[in-house]
Amino acid sequence: MLTDEEIKFLEEKALAVRRHIIRMIYTAQSGHPGGSLSATDILVTLYFKYLKHRWAEPNWSERDRFVLSKGHGVPALYAVLAECGYFPKEELLTLRKINSRLQGHPDARKLPGIEASTGSLGQGLSVACGMALAGKIDKKDYRVYALIGDGESESGQIWEAAMTAHHYKLDNLTVFLDRNNLQIDGCTENIMCLEPLSTKWEAAGWHVLEINGHNYREIGYAIEESWTVKEKPTMIIAKTIKGKGVSFMENNVSFHGKPPTKEEAERAMKELGDTL
Amino acid sequence: MNWKKESVRDAYGKTLVELGKERKEIVVLDADLSSSTKTSLFARAFPDRFFNVGIAEQNLMSLAAGFAYSGKIPFASTFAVFATGRAYDQVRQSICYPNLKVRIVATHSGLTVGGDGASHQMCEDIGLMRSMPNIAIFSPCDAPQTREIIKSVVDYPGPVYVRLVRQDLPTLTEGMDFRIGEAQVLADGNDITLIATGSMVSTAILAASELKNQGISVRVINLHTIKPIDLKTIVRCARETQGIVTVEEHTVTTGLGAAVAEVVSEHCPTFVMRVGVPDTFGESGEPDALLEKYGLNVETIVRKAKSILEVKK
Ligand SMILES: Cc1ncc(C[n+]2csc(CCOP(=O)(O)OP(=O)(O)O)c2C)c(N)n1
Ligand SMILES: [Mg+2]
């Protein structure tokens, strides 16, 4: 369980991560702010409290795995990894630049700490299932975590993976669904309605939880509960706000994949208590 | 050169709207990228004939097949990487095998997608599509040609793949005659032939003028239709010049260069040097920086052209 002090620490880290995200995407003049900001609190809680990992030994065999299935949210992951010490924070500003290790979408062969190359939506959950299955047959006790998008859940392969995880009773798998209600062309429910989402995951045989994806305590409880579930994978439907933390990006579909202008970046940084 | 530049994606979206007014059988499908592919323009004009299937490209292609079976003329759009990679089997089984009139118009092909990096840089699509029976493949070099192609393929008797790029392209073919399957001769010459397609045609023209400065007479061909390929023109170039350099924003292993080499080696063997994306994945970066890094530039074309003439001496 998270203590008050730990929550304060996570809040500070999340603020630092959000600042990195704005600076990185502003500097690159391309990238996806909305889905990076909505996923920030989940990633921060995982990496700074729950995930077993060693930044100085990224390939440690007993580490927990995290797969960012919605790969376009990678600025949040890069910022978290840099804050953990995987690589120098200065490198963050090379995002999307030629010869950079920080590719526009995660590249597992370029940067330590990236567990899977993703970006083509719908595939990362299957990759995570493969890792979880490998953990089972090797009798390892690492856990596998993954984060998928709500728009991403429209893709058929997500449901192929859902069946796999159920069939093989992958209770070492904890998945977050970033339920921010938006994708590129608009609101998920107008484009391809997903609801009733939790009923669908339950029907697929998963243990399902619904939480506020910006509340560290709820994120923490959900992760801890997933550890106790036997013979079932856990789906944590995290209700989030796309663009969370920057008022004019919040619930604003136009900031899905658009970088801020200088003025917007300055305003965003001011809201985050810093300067550009 | 002082070329006017225009978006081929806008040209596509606007042409769709024009066509939609007359041809009520046209329906348009997209997979959560309508704002990027510009099918959003059609969606706004004809909301009843637009279907956004969400992030589900395989579903997109088979749905389009269903429309085609039912007398509609479906245009299905998404990024090239998803249209041809993710949905390859659906394009093969649902569309090409039954020879359905589905028009797949994919945007964001090639390296110049830029910052998104290798996961989104589709450099294998010509190869993938070219290997299937029935489908016709088009790769316009500018906005006017995009309009011509989109209008011409409405009634094409089988499946169609049109390859567009994200970048604005210089206008090169305004007012020129366009016919499916007939390559355009943009410059005549008899030492060497440059055969280019899509976004690289303007680079080929620049390379030709550089070669001309060095006293080499260059023929420049715009191969806008990759399949069915213009055998006659390619063979004529092979016969009338010392060799061919192909230029494409696509992997050299299966694209335009490979297609030209196949034709030439069977009908009139000669040197074919390929300029294109080497056999490697791309990476994030500014479009121009990427083209430089991977050698898709005037310098490489000039070097390869001269190397042919060197050997032939
Ligand atoms: C297979 C595939 N199709 C399309 C895209 C283009 N794309 C990138 S992000 C995105 C929307 C994602 O929406 P969602 O999963 O809800 O992510 P979030 O809202 O968290 O950013 C799309 C369609 C892609 N990356 N992969
Ligand atoms: Mg979303």
Side-chain angles (χ1 to χ4, degrees), chain B residues 8-188:
Chain B
V8 289
R9 293 183 282 144
D10 278 336
Y12 167 49
K14 287 178 188 160
T15 309
L16 267 186
V17 173
E18 260 175 60
L19 290 168
K21 286 178 195 153
E22 315 245 298
R23 303 294 298 267
K24 304 292 178 207
E25 345 62 300
I26 292 179
V27 294
V28 177
L29 298 89
D30 204 298
D32 196 31
L33 287 168
S34 68
S35 42
S36 295
T37 63
K38 304 298 175 189
T39 61
S40 54
L41 301 175
F42 187 94
R44 213 167 306 145
F46 308 104
D48 297 344
R49 287 189 275 148
F50 176 77
F51 304 89
N52 195 333
V53 305
I55 307 165
E57 294 79 8
Q58 298 166 305
N59 191 30
L60 172 80
M61 294 304 172
S62 299
L63 268 173
F67 276 118
Y69 274 119
S70 317
K72 302 290 178 198
I73 300 175
F75 279 77
S77 284
T78 176
F79 290 176
V81 69
F82 310 126
T84 67
R86 181 59 147 271
Y88 177 81
D89 194 48
Q90 284 72 15
V91 174
R92 182 180 191 276
Q93 315 288 357
S94 298
I95 297 172
C96 289
Y97 178 36
N99 202 9
L100 291 170
K101 292 201 226 169
V102 174
R103 283 80 188 88
I104 301 165
V105 182
T107 67
H108 293 64
S109 64
L111 281 180
T112 51
V113 163
D116 277 345
S119 62
H120 286 57
Q121 288 162 333
M122 184 33 125
C123 300
E124 310 102 67
D125 54 328
I126 292 178
L128 285 169
M129 295 295 104
R130 198 165 76 80
S131 61
M132 276 183 284
N134 293 337
I135 195 163
I137 304 169
F138 300 92
S139 162
C141 68
D142 63 3
Q145 190 147 80
T146 304
R147 287 189 273 273
E148 292 287 344
I149 288 174
I150 298 301
K151 286 185 211 155
S152 312
V153 300
V154 172
D155 293 311
Y156 189 82
V160 166
Y161 177 66
V162 183
R163 177 183 214 243
L164 302 181
V165 291
R166 172 173 179 242
Q167 299 280 94
D168 294 355
L169 293 181
T171 297
L172 307 170
T173 67
E174 187 89 73
M176 276 179 72
D177 251 9
F178 171 84
R179 244 175 252 115
I180 287 179
E182 282 182 29
Q184 294 171 329
V185 182
L186 300 183
D188 213 354

Side-chain angles (χ1 to χ4, degrees), chain A residues 70 149-152 178-183 188 242:
Chain A
K70 44 165 268 189
D150 48 4
E152 184 181 15
D178 190 345
R179 185 66 169 123
N180 56 27
N181 291 302
L182 293 176
Q183 51 191 106
T188 57
K242 201 155 175 168

Side-chain angles (χ1 to χ4, degrees), chain B residues 252-307:
Chain B
V252 293
T253 61
T254 59
L256 168 78
V260 168
E262 287 160 14
V263 169
V264 165
S265 66
E266 285 191 350
H267 298 274
C268 182
T270 186
F271 272 100
V272 177
M273 296 289 255
R274 299 163 304 162
V275 176
V277 181
D279 187 17
T280 178
F281 283 104
E283 64 181 289
S284 294
E286 288 294 327
D288 289 342
L290 288 164
L291 292 176
E292 279 306 309
K293 178 165 175 177
Y294 291 86
L296 282 78
N297 54 17
V298 169
E299 199 192 318
T300 315
I301 300 171
V302 167
R303 184 163 39 79
K304 297 225 171 174
K306 284 164 79 177
S307 76

Side-chain angles (χ1 to χ4, degrees), chain A residues 21-33 72 75 95-97 103-105 256-260, chain B residues 113-117 166 284-287:
Chain A
I21 291 170
I22 298 299
R23 285 198 185 102
M24 290 162 82
I25 297 177
Y26 168 66
T27 307
Q29 273 306 297
S30 82
H32 301 81
H72 59 279
L95 173 75
R96 288 180 170 245
K97 298 240 169 8
Q103 291 293 295
H105 293 81
H256 167 84
K258 187 182 72 171
Chain B
V113 163
D116 277 345
R166 172 173 179 242
S284 294
E286 288 294 327

